[in-house]
Structures are given as C-alpha cells and as structure tokens.
Amino acid sequence: EKFHFETDTDGEYWFTHSTDEMPLTSHLKPERIIAIDTKGPEIQIDGDGQVDGTIDANLDLADPHKVSSLRVLVASDVQRQWQTIENSTINPDGSFKITPVENWNQIVIHVTAVDSLGNVSTQSKSIRRPKIASGPPPLIAQNKPQTPNGTQPGAASQWAGIN
C-alpha cells in the first residue's frame, strides 16, 4: 500500500488502483486524494487616501484552501510603529476604513496571510495622501491676445505693404 509520488505542480491528485482480477472501468472512484499546495494566499491591496486623512482600502485574498490567519498592519510617516487593524473591522467583501489620528503624508498597509496548510504570503502597499493646492488663484489674462508682431489677431499691421 505504499507508493512514491512526486510533482512540481500544485494541485489535487486522485489515486486508485486496479488488478488483473478487477480491471479498470469507467466507475472508478478515488481511494486517496492528495492536495499539493506550496504557495501562500494571493494578496491584493487597493486603497485611496482621502483629503480628510481617512483611507478607503480593500483587501482581496485568493487561495485554493481556506485562509486560516490574517494580520493587517498600518504605519505612517508620522507614526512609524505598526498598528494592528482588527480583523473584525474588515467587511466580508474585504473593504475597510483607516482613520489615522496623525496628519500623515504616506501610509503603508502590510498584510500577512496564512492558508490552512501553513503557507505564508505577505504584501505591502504605500498610499499617499492627496495634496490640495494652496495659494493665490491663477491669473486670468485681461488684455486681448496679440500676435508675435504686437498686433491683435485679424488687425492690419501698420507695416503691411512696406517692403
């Protein structure tokens, strides 16, 4: 009942056996199913910083096996110590909101996910706070536009006809 199996590809492998006395038929059922999974969950982080300092973020996890552990950390250019985002604040669709108390310019979201087989993946994303232009409003030209020779478009040049 021992057998050796090797593969370079993750996937689900089904095994059965037959003998001369019990030939292969179309009614075979797997006697043993072996799942090979060497990769951690795929992690995608999206997020946009808002002018008011909040961050609307979204987390997407994909793995053929259940994700058994998730850790989301946040640090900013002002608060460099990692802060944990509680999993209970992440909605079932993966969306969550971060409301830093400090006046930040850049935030890093760091995610670690572990699947049920113990494979680990990490992903990070930097988000910049949008900048609002401050200063005087742009100047609007008050004069009529002129051509390179100093006349208004469509006006006859005083030098017209002079060679």
Side-chain angles (χ1 to χ4, degrees):
E1 290 210 4
K2 285 186 172 183
F3 67 94
H4 179 79
F5 173 72
E6 288 184 25
T7 182
D8 294 330
T9 308
D10 286 3
E12 188 173 271
Y13 297 90
W14 295 16
F15 296 92
T16 192
H17 77 279
S18 70
T19 64
D20 292 339
E21 297 163 3
M22 191 174 81
L24 290 172
T25 66
S26 61
H27 302 350
L28 282 178
K29 295 181 182 171
E31 295 172 9
R32 179 166 292 160
I33 299 173
I34 297 177
I36 306 292
D37 181 9
T38 60
K39 298 175 188 151
E42 290 181 32
I43 303 170
Q44 182 166 349
I45 308 166
D46 292 312
D48 291 314
Q50 306 301 319
V51 175
D52 67 359
T54 60
I55 298 163
D56 295 322
N58 192 61
L59 181 61
D60 187 28
L61 301 171
D63 193 79
H65 301 280
K66 183 179 178 186
V67 174
S68 62
S69 173
L70 177 67
R71 185 171 182 193
V72 180
L73 302 172
V74 177
S76 73
D77 56 336
V78 178
Q79 175 59 275
R80 296 182 188 272
Q81 180 106 13
W82 290 110
Q83 304 294 316
T84 301
I85 301 295
E86 296 298 325
N87 290 351
S88 62
T89 64
I90 301 172
N91 296 319
D93 66 355
S95 64
F96 59 101
K97 190 176 214 83
I98 302 169
T99 309
V101 293
E102 67 272 3
N103 190 15
W104 61 277
N105 288 315
Q106 182 174 351
I107 289 237
V108 177
I109 301 173
H110 181 81
V111 176
T112 303
V114 182
D115 68 15
S116 60
L117 299 177
N119 299 310
V120 179
S121 292
T122 61
Q123 184 75 348
S124 294
K125 176 157 180 95
S126 293
I127 298 173
R128 291 196 170 275
R129 187 176 192 163
K131 300 216 183 265
I132 298 178
S134 60
L139 296 176
I140 300 174
Q142 298 295 321
N143 297 335
K144 294 182 181 177
Q146 296 186 347
T147 61
N149 66 6
T151 63
Q152 292 181 356
S157 170
Q158 62 182 359
W159 304 104
I162 300 176
N163 290 331

